[in-house]
Amino acid sequence: MKKIITYVKQISLTTNQLLLLTCGYLTLVLNIPFLMKMASAITTLDNYSVLFLLSLPILLLSLIIIIQGILSFRWVTKPILITTVLCSSLIFYGTMTYGIVFDYGMVQNTIETDTAEAFSYVNLYAVLFFTLFGVIPSLIIYTVQLTYKPFFKELLTRVKLIGLSLVTVLLIGFFFYSNYAAVGRNNKELIGYIIPYKMVDASFKFVRNHYFYPPLDFKVLDTAPSIVRDNNRKHVTVMVLGETARAQSFSLNGYKKPTNQYTDKQGVVSFSNMSSCGTATAVSVPCMFSRLDKNNYDKRVATAQQNAVDIIHLAGADVLWISNNNGSCKGVCTRVKTQQIDTNKSNPLCDGEYCYDEALLKPLREKLGNLTQENTLIVLHMIGSHGPTYFKRYPKDKRVFTPDCQRSDIQNCSEEQLVNTYDNTIAYTDLVLSKIINQLSQLADKENIETSLLYISDHGESLGESGVYLHGLPYAFAPTEQTHIPMLYWTDPMQTDFDLGCLSSLAKSPITHDNVFDTLLSIMSVKTKVYDIEKDPFIQCKSQSAIARVNMPTPLEIKRED
């Protein structure tokens, strides 16, 4: 290594030469994912020109030279190029290894990720990859000697280089514009694979939206919601917010492996045609609790108005959010009571960074034993099936399917090992849900309290299908594994609001996260002007008395009418 460094130190380059070599490396190595996907899109055309295909790397190289040529000049040349290479190598690793696209959603997810989650992606393979494609090339850039021409002469040569690149882009556009336009229209997602510029653009937009736009005034959607029930029994709903669970891996939905052997015996209704609002927690969680729909969802707007838990809390319910997901409620639980599971190693269910989801059972039991109001909503936010360290999501004595993958570089495990590991997380989630149902059943039997459970995952997960792993792809071209999610509902036999037989008959009807807002209001019997009956999938199975209660005017409305 010392000999290589000594040799490199003897190399003397102009800034333009170093720029060209670095841009060539960015184009032909770190942008391999983009070039491969574009080449695949081009070669699938019925008739394509070989010259058009060959123009692709030339066009990309010219564009990168223009961008880097404007940013990198004289003494800032090395710092800019090294920063670009290091960032690009990290993106290159994520794209090549997991199929990740660093668009706006992924940037948001990355920035909002906690330290423990970030380090779960660090492994020997990642370090070697980063060293080979990022550190070593950067070290070479740092070591070579740069020779500077007089300022204006060097500026003139840089202008010539950028001008030549611009002419190249224009010529390629002149001869092949229609070809690029056709491929681009049919493969809009491919621009997301250009490294690192899609991430730079997304990062700029994220910073602008979160730190430079003035905050919106908080909007109160309803000042006087109320809970209307026709019996004197207390009511408790536990909403379990799942993490990274995909519907395809639930045996309740037809999966061949017994991943739901516990809840399958407890009379849960599985809604098998459920879709998520996003492909990452940062989008899906605030979206599903928002009055906004997926098509018009904007986090700034959603954060600046009441969400479902706010409405339920204002209606008079006691709301508690218990998180085993590193406090990651994404702003939804800001105005209600929260409790974070302590990951201290003194808890046998925790390792200092994460806890198994059974750790949620103790605080739940304590809350159920100390109900202070007639109506209670408890949200349990699971760590669920969060990857890539799936093996850390279940205890070793709960390994149902073997052999499993006891490592974070999941792409280096066999398909059988990877799928078994993920399926173990689903089976463990099922065990936890079963224990929650048992607690609710005991409460209903002993205390004559009406209880129910609603389980919904935030998004799904890819397990190597078509070379894609994890989640977070742009929704427009995300595979179904990342958007098709499970939703389960259970209620004690004594409740009278819903006909479970009716719900079972509707279990295959298509629903989405857009329905969660109204479903929660319906389960909690909240009367509010922001409730949309057309978006409540449970309304068809609700008793006529329950529907009449919610649609009756509240005493406050009667007083106003008088």
Side-chain angles (χ1 to χ4, degrees), residues 331-376:
V332 176
C333 62
T334 302
R335 293 166 292 277
V336 299
K337 290 181 293 184
T338 61
Q339 183 177 343
Q340 176 66 42
I341 298 296
D342 187 357
T343 59
N344 195 292
K345 287 185 178 181
S346 61
N347 187 334
L349 293 170
C350 306
D351 63 6
E353 290 185 345
Y354 295 104
C355 296
Y356 299 126
D357 279 325
E358 280 180 283
L360 290 165
L361 298 177
K362 181 180 178 181
L364 173 63
R365 186 180 301 109
E366 292 172 349
K367 180 60 181 176
L368 294 179
N370 185 33
L371 298 175
T372 58
Q373 293 178 225
E374 293 298 310
N375 296 278
T376 304

Side-chain angles (χ1 to χ4, degrees), residues 428-448:
Y428 182 64
T429 292
D430 191 68
L431 172 65
V432 176
L433 290 177
S434 174
K435 290 186 175 183
I436 294 171
I437 291 174
N438 287 338
Q439 287 193 30
L440 293 175
S441 293
Q442 293 171 11
L443 185 68
D445 292 341
K446 293 181 180 180
E447 305 292 338
N448 193 32

